Amino acid sequence: MEDDNAADMEVEVLSSMWPEDIDAAGKKFNVEKPGADQDLLEDVTIIEEPTIVDFKRLLELTNYSEKGSSQLSYLVKNWEWKQENAVRLLREELENLSKQQREVELKKLEILEEHKFEDEGYGGDKRPISILDDVYEIVPDVPKRRNDVIYQDQRIEIDGEDDTDSVRYWKQRALNLEKLLELSINREQILLEKLEESIEKLEKQSSPVEELSQILKRADNFLHFVLQNAPVVIGHQDKELRYRFIYNHFPSLGEEDIIGKTDVEIFKGGGVKESQDFKREVLEKGLPGKREITFETELFGAKTFLIYVEPVFSKAGETIGVNYMGMEITDQVKRREKMARLREEIAVQKARETELNKTIHITEETMRAKQMLATMSHEIRSPLSGVVSMAEILSTTKLDKDQKQLLSVMLSSGDLVLQLINDILDLSKVESGVMKLEATKFRPREVIKHVLQTAAASLKKMLILEGHVSDDVPIEVIGDVLRIRQILTNLISNAVKFTHEGKVKIKLHVIADPCSEDQQKIKMDTDESESNETVVWIRCDVQDTGIGIPETALPSLFKKYMQAGADTARKYGGTGLGLAICKQLVELMGGSLTVSSKEHCGSTFTFILPHKVPHACESSDETDEFKDMDDNESTEDDDNCGFFQFKPRTLGSLFSSNGSGRVPELTGNEIGFEKCNPENNNTNTNTKYAGVDHDRPFHNPCIQKNRPAKPIEPKVNSNGNSGGILGNVVEKSKSVIRPKILLVEDHVVNVMVAKRMMRQLNQDMDVVNNGVEAIRAVHRCDYGLVLMDVCMPVMDGLQATRLIRSYEKTGNWDEARLAGVELSGDQKIKEPRRRIPIIAMTANAMSESAEECFANGMDSFITKPVTLQNLKQCLEQYLPSNGTLFKDNFIPK
Amino acid sequence: MLGFGAVRLRTDMNRLLSLLFHQGVLDEQFLQLQHLQDQTSPNFVSDVVTIYFQESEKQLRNLRNLLLDREIWDYVKLGIHLNQLMGSSSSIGAKRMRNICAVFRAAVEQSNRPACIRALEVLEHEYCYLKNKLHELFQMEQQSVLGDAVRYPGVVHQL
């Protein structure tokens, strides 16, 4: 019976698509009883297409796999249970019936017994029959069973009063009983029939197949309903991973394309292999597993599936395939990845933020510290410069030896501190980007010469200072001459500091543009018409034969406050800021500063800087006068002479008591440069005078040529006094042997102060009140230096300077006369004259007014108020050998 | 005059000077001026300053006249006077005078007459202030010189 059912089921029930779900039908499928509302799903149209089943395989599966058999057995059990129930009910019914039957039989027996008794009683009369007894006996007996019987009995008893009556009575009674019996037999018959009928019915009714298939159908429908739109793929694959069943709501392939094929055979692309491998792994291990796989196939693009694969075992415990379920989770994965990315980004952001905050904090601190340093330095500088300048003045008064020594220590320390503070201020200016570069025309040769000159002036060692400027360096370039000077001075003083014997050299030459290979020089030659300015890169080497720098110290050399070594600092002093400033300045100007060094042999600091070269035409336009005036002598000299050499003065400063303390021959040399030119000029223009220089005797004969007027000076001077000079009688005894200084200044107070200062500096000075008077004074007599106020009544300093320069160039005063200056006496045309240094004194310390000064032929300028310090500096620079020179020239005569 | 009087005089002078420095009325140039004074010209500072005041007074007068002349706006002359005043002020170290002159000149360059008049007033005020203060200072100096002269032998012994 059971086997038959199972066989039936296989055929019909398994046409359902949900074999694996059925094993838990009772629990998982809470489906309503079929009868109740079968209409529930009628509205829902269920497309059954997506399911593709290999039925044969399914049969095999259910036959061989454990799950299949357990499923079947469950179905069977379920059916059996129902059957049993029905049987039990029938049995109960049957029992009831048989009970009744038994009772009826019992009754029948009783009746029969009664009859027997009647017969006995009938046979022998001896037995007393008490009606009452009888009644008594019967009454309790009968009524309990059947009421009607009792009635009959009673009636019968009442009826039977005598024998005949009693026989009749008994007969009647027997008849009655007969009838009753017949009735009960009838009843029994009916019951039996009924029983049989119901058994028959039962058999007919309980064909389990239909019922089960109905249940399954409903489950199937529900599942379809639920899964209708779910992005789920469900499948079964056999041992070789060929699809035997697949449910896919969004099928893109037909049945024939899938069934019997493996993943790899069906589609290609990323992830396919992986999923196949995963399935195989599950198959081999026999353990279910989940995995997320991203597919990248032509069929459905990039999608991520979460697949669940479980092995299917045969009854023998072998794996015979896998069940496979996949759910598309592309969006979730995307979202998840996005979240992860966001989280990561947030973390990074946060880290960066903290980092940034830290940096900001540090920067702020640094800025504050720097600002404070700068402010403090500034605050310190003013009083300190007061102290130092006062000490300087003090040193010019009469002091004994000890006092002088003390004072010199005081001065040098003061200077050091001042230098340090200036350095700090410079540095903070560069660093804060406040420092602005000026673009002015300057002559590199002149700059080199001046720097070396200045260095030589304060040289206290037996060193030779040399400057080589190669021919290709342009005569004029544009740059920030002050800063370049600062760099050079710094490097030179450094070199001098660390060199005890030998030479310190500056070499200047043009190099190719380090950035681009197309040579700037070529450009200069060819593209002149195109742009007014071309750029040359000039390389400057500052070479010494000093102690050198150990290699280990090179990296930190340009750092602030760093010196090559602790003992260096002790031995040589210095702040360690100089090179840092140089480097920063050079870099600010777009160049670079490098160093190479050999210990005990010397070091070379090299910097390269780009310079604009003014166009030839332009320069002639703009600085017409300037050029004209220069042409005759110093320009030529500086332009073409590429070699300078200086040797140290032996002792003392320029303004030591009588101003003649230096070694004549040395100073003679540097003046010699200026002097030689006229001669040079006369002979040839493009000279390499320098070439001769090396062995040239320092007493150059042309020195005498150069100052023809000097010896006559006293005479001229005496004439001059009658001119417009305000009560400025010069002590002739002194002025004879010194170049005189002319102060052109209109304001009494300024004149007083300046005169006083000059006296302190042991210099004599003539004073005139305006430009016209200045020209007259220059006309009358030869001055070594002119200090010219810029703003003056009658004629201002700029014009006066221009006229003086014109005179120097042409040798006549025509231009001055044209300008309305009356000059006493006629002047014969002289030889072109030496260029008098003219220093402007100006109240506006702005750079444009400085430019104006230079443009008008002034050599330098002092900002008002004139201090002892800058006056002295100025004299040192422009009147370097005043006293000695004349002595020199004079004494032989 | 007693010793401590002289000391007090010195202290007062220094205090006054430092006040003037602190206020920015004077700058280092004034110190330089003082240090240019020596035995050969013992009254150098006061001489210079006296001349300065004379000249400045003239210039201030000129400036006022020029400014009050409504017809003509002679900024060239104004500029010259201002430059002179500025130059001399900076020569004696009258810093504030100089700064006001600079402001004045800027106003002149902008042809801003009201600003010029304002600047002139400030300048005059500053001039008076400076004059008073320096006068005070020189008086004290004179006293102390007198005192020095009187006490000279005694002081040496005391020290």
Side-chain angles (χ1 to χ4, degrees), chain A residues 382 385-386 389-390 393 746-750 752-753 756-757 759-760 791 793 843-846 864-869, chain B residues 28-29 31-33 35-38 40-41 44 47-48 51-52 55 59 83-88 90-92 98 105:
Chain A
S382 330
S385 64
S389 50
M390 290 310 110
I393 292 170
D746 61 323
H747 202 281
V748 207
V749 173
N750 297 349
M752 276 181 84
V753 174
R756 182 74 208 172
M757 282 177 172
R759 218 184 74 196
Q760 198 105 43
C791 302
N844 357 339
M846 285 164 279
K864 280 181 183 174
V866 179
T867 61
L868 202 59
Q869 181 67 26
Chain B
E28 296 97 69
Q29 187 67 16
L31 288 181
Q32 285 230 352
L33 220 58
H35 283 273
L36 287 171
Q37 179 169 297
D38 58 15
T40 55
S41 54
F44 175 68
D47 287 351
V48 170
I51 294 172
Y52 167 75
E55 290 291 311
Q59 259 139 9
N83 259 333
Q84 283 193 339
L85 192 55
M86 203 153 122
S88 56
S90 65
S91 273
I92 67 150
R98 187 189 175 281
R105 195 175 55 186

Side-chain angles (χ1 to χ4, degrees), chain A residues 360-595:
Chain A
I360 286 171
H361 189 67
I362 291 167
T363 318
E364 268 175 3
E365 287 285 297
T366 322
M367 291 285 284
R368 214 172 298 141
K370 260 185 204 164
Q371 189 54 47
M372 193 157 116
L373 192 63
T375 322
M376 263 170 55
S377 306
H378 190 78
E379 292 297 317
I380 293 166
R381 186 163 67 166
S382 330
L384 189 66
S385 64
V387 171
V388 171
S389 50
M390 290 310 110
E392 264 171 12
I393 292 170
L394 187 60
S395 71
T396 62
T397 58
K398 271 188 184 172
L399 295 170
D400 64 29
K401 215 178 173 186
D402 281 351
Q403 285 171 324
K404 268 207 174 122
Q405 209 169 5
L406 292 175
L407 206 59
S408 76
V409 174
M410 186 174 151
L411 271 175
S412 63
S413 353
D415 275 337
L416 194 70
V417 179
L418 215 53
Q419 186 56 43
L420 175 61
I421 287 167
N422 283 337
D423 284 355
I424 291 170
L425 279 173
D426 265 2
L427 206 61
S428 64
K429 254 194 231 161
V430 176
E431 278 177 355
S432 60
V434 169
M435 186 172 275
K436 296 253 158 46
L437 293 173
E438 273 178 45
T440 46
K441 244 179 261 178
F442 70 96
R443 298 178 168 165
R445 287 171 183 77
E446 240 170 67
V447 171
I448 300 284
K449 199 182 88 181
H450 283 161
V451 168
L452 289 174
Q453 215 168 21
T454 319
S458 58
L459 205 56
K460 287 175 188 135
K461 300 176 191 167
M462 287 310 289
L463 289 176
I464 297 170
L465 306 183
E466 281 183 3
H468 300 262
V469 182
S470 62
D471 298 336
D472 52 4
V473 175
I475 290 161
E476 275 192 336
V477 295
I478 293 174
D480 189 333
V481 64
L482 284 179
R483 300 295 160 209
I484 292 169
R485 221 177 243 239
Q486 192 182 352
I487 294 163
L488 276 171
T489 312
N490 229 325
L491 292 178
I492 287 281
S493 66
N494 232 20
V496 168
K497 191 156 86 179
F498 295 109
T499 307
H500 302 299
E501 54 181 1
K503 286 178 179 176
V504 173
K505 273 195 234 173
I506 301 181
K507 282 198 236 163
L508 220 64
H509 52 93
V510 171
I511 55 161
D513 184 349
C515 310
S516 63
E517 273 312 299
D518 52 356
Q519 303 248 316
Q520 293 292 338
K521 272 186 75 187
I522 294 168
K523 217 181 160 196
M524 208 166 77
D525 292 337
T526 53
D527 295 358
E528 278 192 357
S529 54
E530 189 185 295
S531 67
N532 272 339
E533 290 165 340
T534 49
V535 174
V536 280
W537 285 79
I538 295 179
R539 173 187 162 122
C540 179
D541 298 298
V542 178
Q543 214 173 348
D544 65 53
T545 56
I547 58 167
I549 303 155
E551 210 165 299
T552 48
L554 284 178
S556 60
L557 201 62
F558 295 112
K559 283 189 187 148
K560 279 175 259 177
Y561 307 106
M562 286 288 232
Q563 285 191 328
D567 47 331
T568 323
R570 222 173 298 128
K571 198 166 163 191
Y572 295 100
T575 60
L577 275 174
L579 285 175
I581 291 171
C582 284
K583 192 173 172 67
Q584 295 224 3
L585 281 175
V586 168
E587 278 164 9
L588 193 68
M589 290 191 265
S592 63
L593 174 63
T594 51
V595 62

Side-chain angles (χ1 to χ4, degrees), chain A residues 488-703:
Chain A
L488 276 171
T489 312
N490 229 325
L491 292 178
I492 287 281
S493 66
N494 232 20
V496 168
K497 191 156 86 179
F498 295 109
T499 307
H500 302 299
E501 54 181 1
K503 286 178 179 176
V504 173
K505 273 195 234 173
I506 301 181
K507 282 198 236 163
L508 220 64
H509 52 93
V510 171
I511 55 161
D513 184 349
C515 310
S516 63
E517 273 312 299
D518 52 356
Q519 303 248 316
Q520 293 292 338
K521 272 186 75 187
I522 294 168
K523 217 181 160 196
M524 208 166 77
D525 292 337
T526 53
D527 295 358
E528 278 192 357
S529 54
E530 189 185 295
S531 67
N532 272 339
E533 290 165 340
T534 49
V535 174
V536 280
W537 285 79
I538 295 179
R539 173 187 162 122
C540 179
D541 298 298
V542 178
Q543 214 173 348
D544 65 53
T545 56
I547 58 167
I549 303 155
E551 210 165 299
T552 48
L554 284 178
S556 60
L557 201 62
F558 295 112
K559 283 189 187 148
K560 279 175 259 177
Y561 307 106
M562 286 288 232
Q563 285 191 328
D567 47 331
T568 323
R570 222 173 298 128
K571 198 166 163 191
Y572 295 100
T575 60
L577 275 174
L579 285 175
I581 291 171
C582 284
K583 192 173 172 67
Q584 295 224 3
L585 281 175
V586 168
E587 278 164 9
L588 193 68
M589 290 191 265
S592 63
L593 174 63
T594 51
V595 62
S596 66
S597 180
K598 207 171 166 192
E599 226 173 330
H600 308 304
C601 293
S603 338
T604 306
F605 286 85
T606 303
F607 65 90
I608 53 172
L609 281 180
H611 291 284
K612 284 180 190 161
V613 180
H615 191 258
C617 300
E618 186 204 41
S619 72
S620 70
D621 281 349
E622 269 190 11
T623 57
D624 209 5
E625 295 150 285
F626 191 30
K627 269 239 150 178
D628 287 350
M629 281 179 280
D630 290 342
D631 266 350
N632 47 7
E633 35 175 58
S634 64
T635 317
E636 285 298 313
D637 172 34
D638 289 333
D639 283 356
N640 295 325
C641 180
F643 180 79
F644 319 98
Q645 192 178 47
F646 297 93
K647 288 196 174 178
R649 302 149 194 276
T650 44
L651 275 172
S653 77
L654 185 59
F655 297 107
S656 59
S657 55
N658 59 1
S660 61
R662 59 195 77 89
V663 175
E665 54 164 22
L666 296 178
T667 42
N669 180 31
E670 58 182 287
I671 291 294
F673 271 100
E674 269 175 45
K675 306 307 157 213
C676 292
N677 312 309
E679 181 193 69
N680 194 10
N681 200 17
N682 293 340
T683 49
N684 58 343
T685 37
N686 86 353
T687 129
K688 289 260 171 73
Y689 197 134
V692 207
D693 252 331
H694 232 97
D695 303 311
R696 190 177 50 151
F698 294 126
H699 285 283
N700 203 306
C702 60
I703 294 169

